Amino acid sequence: GGVRCGGGVPQRRRGLVQRRAQLKDEVHVLKRDDLVEYISQGCRPKEEWRIGTEHEKFAFRLSDRKRADYSDIRQMLNKLCKEFSWDPIMEGENIIGATLEGQSVTLEPGGQLELSGAPLRTLQETCAETQSHLHQMKSIAAEQGIAFLGLGFDPSSTFPECPMMPKNRYNIMKAYMPTRGNLGHDMMFRSCTIQVNLDFESEEDMVRKARASLALQPVATALFANSPLKEGKLTGYQSYRRRVWDDVDPDRCGYLPWIFEEGFGFERYVDYALSVPMYFVYRNGRYIDVSGQSFGDFMKGNLSALPGEVATMKDWEDHLTTIFPEIRLKRFLEMRGADGGPWDMICALPAFWVGLLYDEQALGEAEELVSSWTAKDRLLMQQNVAKEGLKLKCVGGGGAPTTMQELAKEVLRISAGGLERRGYNEVDFLDKLNCIAGRGQSQAEDLMSKYTNLWNGNIDPIFVTQYGL
């Protein structure tokens, strides 16, 4: 009976409890101000502004035209590390990505391969990075009989045909998604995007860039529209990917009209992020399902799944990545309105936004262009651009009626001016967009026309090189 003492807690265990209690006192309990401070630390002087481009692509086996599964992708990632000196990213026993010099290759839920580029100074560097990555991946994939498709939505696979990658956070999201909307699984497993991350100098600069870019996000959606097909049939949308986002999760997706309201800034975004329910907490190499619970409760140590565990700044960082609006604020601004596409469109997306947002005159002209738009004008574009693209009737400068095509031409003129004044010979990266706006025909419309008139409703030609990367 002499094993226990002191109220029934074994001696060694009691020591642990006391030590833990001391440690607990030392844990910094996050306050709202800390969360605001975290985002504000993103402010940097103009000479330090960089361009971070991300793009996703579908991997298909050419033999059966099915999506590459994890065994195919694991082989590709291992070869990337072996042949091109990337470092593996592991989750347990599984390779789930690779890193090299500030770049990372990671996996979306259905095995869409994403390149998150390093923060670079010029668009030449960004485009060279993209081409180097595609060259490496395509040479590896070709040996395995795999091709990459640059589209915004999977043109052929049903949801059950999509593979699932062995990343535990995706299991949590997959289970939670259907409780919040009907198309979350389509977003996770069947969509691809191109995004750019851009810096701001101050809170005021962030607010200006956020408002201009959110107002103009539908212009990017129209110019980059490239997802008219689903399961071998036309969807009626030019950007079905953009349509999907409207029915994923109203808590964390879509258009944020309050960005245009008086008082928007870091604090307002933090309050919004705090209102978004959590997905998971990452502890000791494991993702713990806390879906639907409140980050505010977590800050107080009141999560039912993790009693007594208190949120850290890393948890806040993770939480900010589980919010998916049309533009997203972290320590930089993310532009999220574009469909996936071929390499010249991957280079064009950062060019479009850098021209508009990284030059003072261009930003002023963009603000002037959108200044008279009402909340209703902006909403009309957000709600209808996925279907109508460049044909959408909308408003332009001074609130005058126009079409999305004419608006896009004007926005491209402003962007080109911004790139010209930057002085790095970057204007040519807008060539493909100028061509699309000039013809008034998106990649999606080209694809719809081929599908109907040339291919007689057969999508097999998509898998040959013209839609490959």
Side-chain angles (χ1 to χ4, degrees), residues 334-387:
E334 248 176 68
M335 307 293 123
R336 299 174 50 85
D339 279 0
W343 75 268
D344 50 357
M345 293 299 269
I346 298 171
C347 299
L349 190 269
F352 178 79
W353 289 114
V354 165
L356 290 171
L357 303 180
Y358 271 14
D359 173 77
E360 183 56 40
Q361 184 182 326
L363 180 56
E365 288 175 20
E367 288 174 315
E368 175 60 29
L369 175 64
V370 305
S371 61
S372 57
W373 296 358
T374 64
K376 195 174 163 192
D377 293 332
R378 291 190 294 260
L379 192 60
L380 175 116
M381 291 187 214
Q382 292 283 349
Q383 289 177 333
N384 296 291
V385 71
K387 183 165 266 195

Side-chain angles (χ1 to χ4, degrees), residues 30-44 198-207 210 258 264-274 295 313 316-321 323 327-334:
L30 293 178
K31 302 273 191 300
R32 177 174 172 270
D33 287 355
D34 299 319
L35 309 183
V36 174
E37 169 66 18
Y38 170 83
I39 293 178
S40 74
Q41 283 166 3
C43 297
R44 55 189 61 222
L198 297 174
D199 288 312
F200 43 81
E201 193 164 29
S202 61
E203 183 169 26
E204 183 197 1
D205 186 44
M206 181 282 291
V207 170
W258 44 264
F264 170 63
F266 295 144
E267 290 191 29
R268 180 73 184 80
Y269 194 88
V270 163
D271 290 341
Y272 159 68
L274 281 171
F295 196 89
M313 205 47 98
W316 176 238
E317 209 174 304
D318 285 344
H319 182 58
L320 289 175
T321 70
I323 301 171
I327 62 165
R328 178 160 71 179
L329 176 61
K330 297 199 272 199
R331 282 175 159 171
F332 43 80
L333 274 171
E334 248 176 68

Side-chain angles (χ1 to χ4, degrees), residues 10 18 80 91 118 138 151 163 210 227 251 262 311 356 363 371 397:
Q18 283 164 347
L80 182 66
E91 184 171 317
K138 281 160 74 171
L151 293 167
S227 50
D251 295 330
E262 197 61 46
L356 290 171
L363 180 56
S371 61

Side-chain angles (χ1 to χ4, degrees), residues 167-180:
K167 290 175 70 168
N168 200 27
R169 68 182 279 174
Y170 295 154
N171 292 328
I172 294 167
M173 289 169 67
K174 185 183 179 186
Y176 181 69
M177 284 279 175
T179 69
R180 301 302 301 127

